[in-house]
Amino acid sequence: MPRLHRAKRELELLRRDPILLALLIFIALAIFIFVIYPLFEVLIKSLQTRDVEGLTLANYERFFTTRYLRLALRNSLMVGFTTATVGVFIGYIAAFTLTRTNAPGKPIWHVILILPVISPPFVSAISILMLFGFNGLFTRQLLGLQNFNIYGFKGVVLSQVFTFAPIGYLTLRGVLSSMNPVLEDAAMNVGATRWQTFRRVLLPLSLPGIASAFLVVLIESLADFGNPLVLAGSRFPMLAPQAYLEITGSFNLPLGATLAVILLIPSMTAFAIQRYYLQKRQYVTVTGKPSTSSSKIVTRSMQWVLMGILGVFALFIILFYGTILMGAFTLVWGYDYTLTLNHFIYTFSVGFEAVKDTLIVAILSTPISGLLAMMIAFLVVRRTFPGKGALEFSSILNFAVPGTVVGIGYILAFNKPPILLVGTLAILVLNFIFRYMPVGIQSGIAVLQQIDPSIEEAAQNLGADSVTTFRKVTLPLISPAFFSGLVFAFVRAMTAISAAIFLVSAKWNLMTVQILSEVGSGRLGVAAAYSVVLVVIVIIAIFVIGRLVPSGAATSIIQVQD
Amino acid sequence: MAADLQIVNLTKEFESFDQPGNKVVAVDDVSLDVEKGELVTLLGPSGCGKTTLLRMIAGFEDPTSGDIYLSGQRVNDQAPNQRNAAMVFQSYALFPHLNVLENVVFGLRLQRLPSSEVTARGERVLELVGLDGLGERSTSQLSGGQQQRVALARAIVMEPSILLFDEPLSNLDAKLREQMRIEIRQLQQRVGITSVYVTHDQAEAMSMSDRIVVMDHGRIMQVGAPLDIYARPRNRFVADFIGKVNFLTAQVSGPKQARLLDQQLIVDDLDERPLGQEVILTIRPEAVNLRTSGGHLPGQITRATFLGGLVEYEIQVDSLGEALVVHDANPVVRGLHQVGETVELELPAKALHALVEG
């Protein structure tokens, strides 16, 4: 009863600020239609079959009785846990080396390590194919192996580790750099050895962060679509590509939806643990003062060992990207290594449609996604209204929902009146807006929570309404978060595949989808050329966005605090 | 004419933070009138509700019940940006992305006034607070005192019907704080702007206010002019909060007379009370006279603390439970008493005060 009373009171307060109220209704409605409703449609579809009326569990029954489908779940989980374990291990070594040692060339290490984050998630898969496939440079040309098979578990895990370890690195870097090195000085001051200091102080303090990074990588791995599609092979089914194949290959939409729901369960569990259990247990030692202590926790020789491990990993990344670059200029990889510009000529002539469409979609969705994210962050942190928790949860829900599920949801929800969008530009733009908002929202919330609310109260006190306060005060203050939200939205709009592959049409195609189809038809050179173009566009875009958003936040994504 | 600010039976309840479902009453049935041009201070310990009361006037908190009138108009339903009440924040809340002048004219800009007028008014106010020529500076380049002045300028440039101060000096060092007290008070009197000023510093309250409102646990304990509150506190809380004080438990023994131990004391402001009734008397440390003989009470010095302009003594009077605190001025000329010395205490009739509430 008191809850209801409070909700009523909050509503009365909102009436005073009609623009805010209208904005809230608009955002709530948009989130309901473009986040919640498609998921609901997937759930309903999974309870239907093509030949029986009404709702049934027949699809789930089929899942549990079909060995091949059960195998897909097992494989996805196996790959997910392996990738997460290895990825977090490498990510921790990288984060530790770059925040706790005096390793030379930190900014360069950092840029190499995050290169996979700004490329399509299956670039390493294509490289692996070019290096270790049936006609791979290493396996066939150099070693002369006839029957080496990279497909299956090892191929997918190898590719995913290189794709997702950088995400583990970025998460853990945040955790480690927010821990004051004075704690380590204190431990050593009372007689702890370096190893004891690491084992008894640093490691326990970073444990919640490690678990959190593990779950984030696990979520990414489960949702990954490109790497499995290229490298899993038919004898190693995995959930995300299998759902796609059920729909596009066997035209069995209900079974595809069922696989999507089953994929959703581990993802959502990991998300819930990460968000509601781990996040509250992270130790952040914020002192307000920049800590000047230089860490002495690592000996010189140990530093070289760590850099050696990191070096091997970085070398592989360079090797993969070098391969892509070479492949883009090579006539027929595996047979004829003559240099050529043909693939680029193709990309910029016949194949340019996809580049153009991708740019249009990205340029349309990025600013809307970024702005919406900042508005939601503002509302969640600074205003009270009924249903705030629900709004926050559903606005960041898509962080954990695999793209495959979202893609299926969108074709189910928007292929019929009142909202008929399938085949249009709008469905791609809307999908990207709502899918890539969560990162902007979360960084917006984080930044906003550190800004004294009285600054915004001062604006109100001087006569600014909610919208003016947001535009003139809040947005300029949270521009670093706005910047990272924009960059993330743009990078993802350029590189996403899992949901987009369901939503492209003859009229509106995307580069990533085009790359996969080139790989499918064996034209690796063209795929490589597209990938190169894509990475270049993304790098240019990051600098352009940095210019457009004031505050000098441009470097924040590649920034190393030394 | 109605008061500039009227607060009528204002109450604010919050939900308890650690026990949801329980109510915490932050402001409890408060009524107050503030006249035109007056500076009224809300004084009390942290958690007494003074800031909540101020934030309700500004519109940042919503009252649970009661009414607020600004210039005779009820403003309960007005959003903060619609109220003509300008606030000076404790943290200054300067906009970090704007320079000094842009900060000051932020509110004027929103009113879509001609830009020449906006700049002229902004510069005039900067001059008023002594910051002329610094308009182009970034706020982060200013000292704490200058930032404080920008915050003040930003509020008065709006020519509000009331100016609200939320502990504006608490972030400054002691010396600057005393200087700013004087400056703010002079500026407030020159501009003639009605002001409500929140502080927990009793010296600040006494030096600046026309009237002080002492609050505790959400309630008003006493309202009055600074001297009135200092000399004639209503109850123990007010007496104790406004500076150091000695409490003496005595019995009414006649008109304006009370008996303390075997001494008859004259108490000028003792109202008519039944004979023999217990009465709590207060006396400030500096009002007690130290003598070598002929005082009301004999005592022994148990502690002497030299403070420069005065010496604080703790004096134990036999058969009186607590020790008395006595301030003796001008020690350079009058000399120091030593611990262990016996002295006589004189309690002047004018300085003794009988509390109305126990």
Side-chain angles (χ1 to χ4, degrees):
Chain A
M1 244 20 226
R3 240 174 130 157
L4 203 72
H5 181 71
R6 199 171 66 201
K8 202 177 132 219
R9 219 181 152 72
E10 286 169 353
L11 268 181
E12 275 166 20
L13 281 177
L14 271 181
R15 277 222 320 267
R16 271 193 212 166
D17 202 339
I19 308 172
L20 182 68
L21 184 64
L23 188 71
L24 257 181
I25 292 173
F26 171 75
I27 287 175
L29 215 62
I31 285 175
F32 179 78
I33 295 174
F34 296 108
V35 178
I36 307 294
Y37 172 57
L39 295 181
F40 180 72
E41 284 283 305
V42 175
L43 189 65
I44 293 295
K45 186 53 91 180
S46 76
L47 297 171
Q48 296 171 342
T49 65
R50 280 176 293 189
D51 19 65
V52 183
E53 284 281 313
L55 301 182
T56 159
L57 283 173
N59 292 315
Y60 290 92
E61 202 182 318
R62 182 154 164 217
F63 172 83
F64 284 109
T65 52
T66 313
R67 208 184 93 82
Y68 191 74
L69 297 179
R70 277 199 326 252
L71 211 55
L73 174 62
R74 203 205 64 176
N75 290 345
S76 281
L77 289 175
M78 235 164 59
V79 167
F81 279 92
T82 313
T83 301
T85 308
V86 180
V88 165
F89 181 71
I90 294 172
Y92 193 83
I93 290 179
F96 181 83
T97 310
L98 296 190
T99 58
R100 286 300 195 271
T101 71
N102 304 315
K106 283 181 190 173
I108 301 166
W109 290 108
H110 182 68
V111 170
I112 296 173
L113 285 171
I114 63 162
L115 204 54
V117 178
I118 61 164
S119 353
F122 46 84
V123 164
S124 55
I126 299 173
S127 302
I128 286 169
L129 218 51
M130 292 168 117
L131 294 170
F132 308 111
F134 287 131
N135 282 309
L137 186 64
F138 273 112
T139 44
R140 188 73 172 262
Q141 265 79 25
L142 295 181
L143 300 174
L145 298 175
Q146 291 292 332
N147 289 318
F148 182 76
N149 185 357
I150 188 68
Y151 292 100
F153 179 77
K154 56 181 175 304
V156 177
V157 167
L158 182 66
S159 185
Q160 281 196 349
V161 163
F162 283 95
T163 312
F164 299 129
I167 294 175
Y169 157 66
L170 285 177
T171 313
L172 288 164
R173 184 193 169 82
V175 173
L176 282 177
S177 54
S178 66
M179 271 176 221
N180 196 335
V182 167
L183 290 179
E184 290 141 49
D185 294 353
M188 286 163 82
N189 181 254
V190 293
T193 63
R194 292 190 167 90
W195 170 247
Q196 284 169 329
T197 305
F198 175 75
R199 179 71 194 74
R200 310 273 291 267
V201 178
L202 200 59
L203 192 63
L205 281 175
S206 49
L207 219 49
I210 291 174
S212 185
F214 181 90
L215 293 173
V216 170
V217 175
L218 177 64
I219 290 171
E220 293 279 352
S221 165
L222 286 170
D224 186 26
F225 179 80
N227 290 312
L229 199 66
V230 174
L231 284 173
S234 58
R235 270 184 287 166
F236 191 76
M238 290 178 69
L239 273 181
Q242 194 58 38
Y244 171 71
L245 294 173
E246 289 297 338
I247 291 169
T248 55
S250 329
F251 300 104
N252 192 343
L253 202 48
L255 187 58
T258 307
L259 294 181
V261 172
I262 286 163
L263 177 60
L264 198 54
I265 295 167
S267 300
M268 289 309 296
T269 313
F271 175 65
I273 298 173
Q274 199 263 342
R275 186 165 165 71
Y276 292 101
Y277 183 75
L278 285 175
Q279 252 178 18
K280 294 185 181 71
R281 280 169 181 72
Q282 298 206 2
Y283 307 97
V284 178
T285 47
V286 178
T287 53
K289 283 181 189 161
S291 55
T292 47
S293 159
S294 69
S295 181
K296 308 280 186 306
I297 194 168
V298 173
T299 58
R300 256 197 113 57
S301 49
M302 189 60 200
Q303 180 180 318
W304 288 110
V305 172
L306 290 171
M307 280 175 67
I309 299 173
L310 212 53
V312 172
F313 186 72
L315 263 180
F316 263 96
I317 293 179
I318 294 169
L319 176 66
F320 285 170
Y321 281 84
T323 305
I324 291 284
L325 197 61
M326 285 312 296
F329 289 104
T330 303
L331 200 56
V332 186
W333 189 272
Y335 298 99
D336 186 347
Y337 286 92
T338 318
L339 288 182
T340 176
L341 282 174
N342 285 356
H343 306 314
F344 282 100
I345 294 170
Y346 176 84
T347 307
F348 283 104
S349 57
V350 187
F352 197 65
E353 276 299 299
V355 179
K356 207 183 69 194
D357 291 354
T358 308
L359 272 175
I360 293 175
V361 171
I363 289 171
L364 284 177
S365 59
T366 300
I368 306 177
S369 182
L371 262 180
L372 206 55
M374 294 307 110
M375 284 196 239
I376 292 173
F378 171 69
L379 291 174
V380 165
V381 179
R382 293 289 199 248
R383 293 286 178 270
T384 49
F385 50 87
K388 185 158 114 173
L391 182 82
E392 186 187 359
F393 177 80
S394 49
S395 67
I396 59 169
L397 183 65
N398 261 345
F399 180 76
V401 178
T404 312
V405 184
V406 179
I408 296 172
Y410 268 51
I411 50 171
L412 288 172
F414 306 125
N415 66 349
K416 57 191 181 221
I419 310 177
L420 184 60
L421 291 175
V422 170
T424 63
L425 171 63
I427 196 167
L428 285 165
V429 173
L430 286 165
N431 175 259
F432 287 156
I433 290 173
F434 289 95
R435 244 180 98 48
Y436 301 124
M437 228 170 33
V439 166
I441 296 177
Q442 281 173 320
S443 53
I445 288 176
V447 173
L448 215 48
Q449 277 169 343
Q450 287 171 10
I451 294 174
D452 184 357
S454 58
I455 294 179
E456 286 155 86
E457 284 175 354
Q460 277 189 292
N461 181 257
L462 294 166
D465 57 36
S466 279
V467 175
T468 314
T469 305
F470 177 76
R471 202 164 50 83
K472 294 212 151 178
V473 176
T474 315
L475 201 54
L477 290 181
I478 58 176
S479 60
F482 187 38
F483 172 77
S484 54
L486 286 178
V487 168
F488 182 83
F490 188 85
V491 170
R492 283 303 176 98
M494 292 295 297
T495 60
I497 177 82
S498 54
I501 202 163
F502 291 94
L503 305 176
V504 293
S505 51
K507 223 166 151 229
W508 294 100
N509 198 6
L510 294 178
M511 287 171 85
T512 48
V513 178
Q514 194 61 33
I515 294 172
L516 269 191
S517 95
E518 300 292 350
V519 173
S521 46
R523 289 151 48 96
L524 291 179
V526 178
Y530 268 119
S531 304
V532 171
V533 172
L534 207 158
V535 171
V536 170
I537 293 176
V538 167
I539 290 171
I540 294 172
I542 291 177
F543 283 100
V544 171
I545 295 174
R547 274 290 165 85
L548 294 179
V549 178
S551 87
T555 45
S556 68
I557 198 170
I558 357 185
Q559 184 190 44
V560 173
Q561 308 123 321
D562 267 320
Chain B
M1 202 185 96
D4 253 22
L5 168 70
Q6 272 183 291
I7 292 167
V8 185
N9 303 117
L10 203 64
T11 296
K12 175 70 183 176
E13 292 172 354
F14 287 109
E15 196 157 317
S16 166
F17 200 70
D18 7 84
Q19 301 151 296
N22 280 17
K23 298 274 189 221
V24 176
V25 184
V27 173
D28 193 357
D29 194 28
V30 164
S31 296
L32 178 72
D33 283 6
V34 179
E35 302 299 330
K36 195 162 189 56
E38 195 181 23
L39 191 150
V40 169
T41 300
L42 306 181
L43 176 68
S46 52
C48 75
K50 57 192 190 297
T51 295
T52 305
L53 179 54
L54 193 78
R55 290 173 59 82
M56 284 195 283
I57 301 170
F60 296 130
E61 303 285 352
D62 193 40
T64 308
S65 64
D67 298 302
I68 302 167
Y69 298 87
L70 278 178
S71 312
Q73 196 193 353
R74 186 174 179 275
V75 294
N76 285 45
D77 298 321
Q78 284 182 1
N81 55 315
Q82 295 162 336
R83 297 187 192 189
N84 196 12
M87 181 133 154
V88 178
F89 290 84
Q90 180 171 20
S91 57
Y92 315 145
L94 301 181
F95 306 121
H97 58 300
L98 303 179
N99 70 25
V100 170
L101 184 66
E102 285 166 346
N103 259 284
V104 172
V105 300
F106 183 91
L108 294 180
R109 283 259 157 82
L110 293 175
Q111 296 176 353
R112 306 200 183 284
L113 298 170
S115 101
S116 57
E117 189 195 333
V118 168
T119 314
R121 274 173 69 180
E123 272 163 3
R124 205 157 57 229
V125 173
L126 278 180
E127 206 184 311
L128 198 62
V129 298
L131 288 179
D132 31 330
L134 298 184
E136 302 301 316
R137 290 271 182 94
S138 150
T139 53
S140 58
Q141 291 173 294
L142 302 182
S143 68
Q146 288 172 321
Q147 291 182 359
Q148 175 61 69
R149 279 170 226 207
V150 177
L152 187 61
R154 188 176 66 179
I156 54 181
V157 79
M158 301 302 292
E159 296 172 4
S161 53
I162 192 160
L163 198 51
L164 308 172
F165 293 89
D166 184 12
E167 308 208 26
L169 303 183
S170 57
N171 288 330
L172 300 176
D173 63 58
K175 208 155 197 166
L176 194 54
R177 194 155 52 210
E178 281 177 32
Q179 183 193 333
M180 286 303 292
R181 271 180 209 163
I182 299 168
E183 271 186 42
I184 290 180
R185 177 60 165 163
Q186 281 177 343
L187 190 68
Q188 184 265 336
Q189 284 178 321
R190 188 145 35 115
V191 184
I193 194 162
T194 314
S195 306
V196 177
Y197 190 107
V198 162
T199 183
H200 62 264
D201 180 338
Q202 36 97 11
E204 202 168 297
M206 283 192 284
S207 61
M208 299 180 71
S209 320
D210 292 305
R211 281 189 301 152
I212 296 177
V213 178
V214 184
M215 292 182 68
D216 186 37
H217 289 104
R219 287 168 194 257
I220 292 183
M221 293 286 114
Q222 189 170 358
V223 182
L227 179 63
D228 196 38
I229 298 242
Y230 184 75
R232 285 174 289 281
R234 270 184 74 84
N235 55 28
R236 262 177 189 271
F237 175 82
V238 176
D240 202 29
F241 195 78
I242 310 262
K244 296 203 168 172
V245 71
N246 295 300
F247 293 108
L248 305 165
T249 308
Q251 283 81 38
V252 177
S253 55
K256 298 197 184 297
Q257 282 184 38
R259 179 202 293 282
L260 176 66
L261 304 178
D262 55 350
Q263 290 287 322
Q264 285 294 339
L265 296 174
I266 315 273
V267 183
D268 275 359
D269 77 347
L270 182 60
D271 44 354
E272 274 216 31
R273 300 188 194 194
L275 281 181
Q277 195 191 44
E278 193 169 88
V279 58
I280 309 282
L281 303 177
T282 67
I283 185 162
R284 298 288 175 186
E286 71 278 7
V288 181
N289 292 326
L290 279 187
R291 307 169 67 118
T292 39
S293 63
H296 296 104
L297 300 165
Q300 197 181 29
I301 294 179
T302 53
R303 181 172 62 78
T305 311
F306 176 63
L307 293 169
L310 55 89
V311 193
E312 180 173 286
Y313 295 106
E314 203 174 79
I315 296 171
Q316 193 67 49
V317 176
D318 284 339
S319 62
L320 207 66
E322 268 173 77
L324 264 63
V325 181
V326 177
H327 286 171
D328 198 25
N330 203 3
V332 178
V333 173
R334 288 162 55 94
L336 293 173
H337 293 281
Q338 300 303 314
V339 171
E341 254 181 66
T342 310
V343 287
E344 297 260 324
L345 303 176
E346 186 197 19
L347 309 173
K350 243 186 122 153
L352 283 167
H353 164 67
L355 292 182
V356 181
E357 297 162 13

